[in-house]
Amino acid sequence: MQARPLWLVLAPFIFLALWSMGYSVAKIGLLYTDPMTLLALRFGCVIAIMAVLFALIRPPLPKTRVEWAHLALVGFLIQAVYFGMNYFAFESGVGAGTGALLMSFQPILVALIAPIWSLEVIGRRSWIGLALGLCGTLLVVGSRTDIEPPTLFGLSCAAIALLGITSGSLWEKRFGLNHHPVTSNLIGYSAGFIGILPALALQNSFEVEWSGAFIAALAYLVIGNSLIAVGLLLAMIRAGDVSRVSALFFMVPPLATLIAWFLLGEVMPPIAWLGLAVASLGVYLATRKARDV
């Protein structure tokens, strides 16, 4: 059996760290502007970077309209729907921990749909891991008594975001091709930017309080989240079973809570440490390549 390349071995750890930190960094960025303006700046910066790289590297473009459509649809689902609806949820009172908890249900949806959608077989050990991951996540976020009850609109936005990231992952697994990352990012983020334009047009203000903290937050969201983390996510989906890759999202709420404790001073109760351990075990079981099905 051929050994996996080093980048693929390290990819889950890098992805989890970058993605989990994004919740705290986004909260910092939203102190200086509104959600859709922040998202538009984020996407615009990524598109500008990818356009320069495209001009320099000149990677091949998709050969058919169908390939263009697949790249654009995945970009719309992950960028516009997932990030856009999450930002609306944050603005409507959904806390970062609550949002991360709701997103942790993605592996359950993927595990239920994947056997039909992409003909994957979900093994017994994976189901046990999924269950442990969810229990650990509930322990971590449930221990956060300082989270305010979100509004119905906020929860609805978070639910739509969950459907966006789930649909995007499944679509990428079934129809995604090994396009050059510059090409796929340029098309995907352009589709995401176009997708948020209606919401952006409904805003009353586009003000930004430019500061060192905001610029640092925006730089992280562009490079850490949008370029590296999303690129790793799509690469891992292409390289492995989508259900096992999606199980990584079980670790996001515990890690997001841990990072918020360091960066924002949010409380990490003792029981949350137990939840972190349980979720870690669950992800290990669910993502480990099992022999039994």
Side-chain angles (χ1 to χ4, degrees):
M1 182 181 295
Q2 187 176 4
R4 293 191 302 169
L6 179 61
W7 74 266
L8 190 56
V9 175
L10 297 177
F13 304 100
I14 300 173
F15 168 78
L16 283 172
L18 294 175
W19 195 272
S20 299
M21 189 175 291
Y23 285 90
S24 293
V25 175
K27 289 185 68 175
I28 294 173
L30 290 173
L31 296 174
Y32 302 94
T33 189
D34 56 81
M36 289 299 103
T37 300
L38 177 59
L39 206 57
L41 289 171
R42 174 179 176 173
F43 290 171
C45 290
V46 174
I47 292 171
I49 294 172
M50 289 297 105
V52 172
L53 292 177
F54 184 85
L56 294 174
I57 301 174
R58 297 188 177 279
L61 291 168
K63 298 178 180 179
T64 66
R65 292 181 180 179
V66 173
E67 291 181 11
W68 278 89
H70 288 326
L71 284 175
L73 181 58
V74 171
F76 172 77
L77 290 172
I78 294 179
Q79 309 306 334
V81 178
Y82 171 70
F83 284 112
M85 290 297 102
N86 257 333
Y87 278 33
F88 270 128
F90 292 154
E91 186 184 34
S92 301
V94 176
T98 303
L101 172 62
L102 293 173
M103 293 310 108
S104 71
F105 284 92
Q106 188 226 14
I108 298 295
L109 295 180
V110 169
L112 292 173
I113 300 172
I116 300 174
W117 180 253
S118 56
L119 302 180
E120 290 185 18
V121 178
I122 311 300
R124 183 175 63 251
R125 183 162 54 192
S126 293
W127 281 110
I128 295 173
L130 291 171
L132 287 174
L134 180 58
C135 290
T137 297
L138 289 172
L139 278 175
V140 172
V141 181
S143 65
R144 296 277 306 281
T145 57
D146 58 329
I147 297 178
E148 296 181 358
T151 63
L152 178 60
F153 176 75
L155 287 176
S156 299
C157 289
I160 297 173
L162 173 60
L163 293 178
I165 190 69
T166 302
S167 301
S169 298
L170 289 167
W171 198 273
E172 175 65 23
K173 177 59 180 178
R174 183 165 180 175
F175 298 109
L177 300 174
N178 290 323
H179 293 287
H180 194 282
V182 171
T183 300
S184 59
N185 276 323
L186 181 58
I187 296 174
Y189 279 97
S190 296
F193 185 84
I194 294 172
I196 68 169
L197 288 180
L200 193 64
L202 295 176
Q203 288 188 176
N204 297 322
S205 172
F206 304 94
E207 294 182 1
V208 178
E209 183 183 340
W210 293 97
S211 66
F214 176 77
I215 294 173
L218 179 61
Y220 180 89
L221 293 173
V222 169
I223 299 173
N225 269 170
S226 296
L227 295 181
I228 301 177
V230 173
L232 288 175
L233 172 63
L234 297 180
M236 288 187 296
I237 289 173
R238 297 189 191 106
D241 294 342
V242 65
S243 59
R244 293 191 175 96
V245 173
S246 295
L248 291 171
F249 281 90
F250 271 134
M251 277 298 295
V252 172
L255 286 181
T257 303
L258 181 62
I259 292 170
W261 180 45
F262 282 109
L263 293 183
L264 305 175
E266 295 183 359
V267 177
M268 184 77 167
I271 194 172
W273 295 98
L274 173 62
L276 181 61
V278 172
S280 300
L281 175 60
V283 170
Y284 171 76
L285 292 175
T287 58
R288 185 182 178 185
K289 196 71 175 179
R291 295 180 182 274
D292 61 309
V293 296

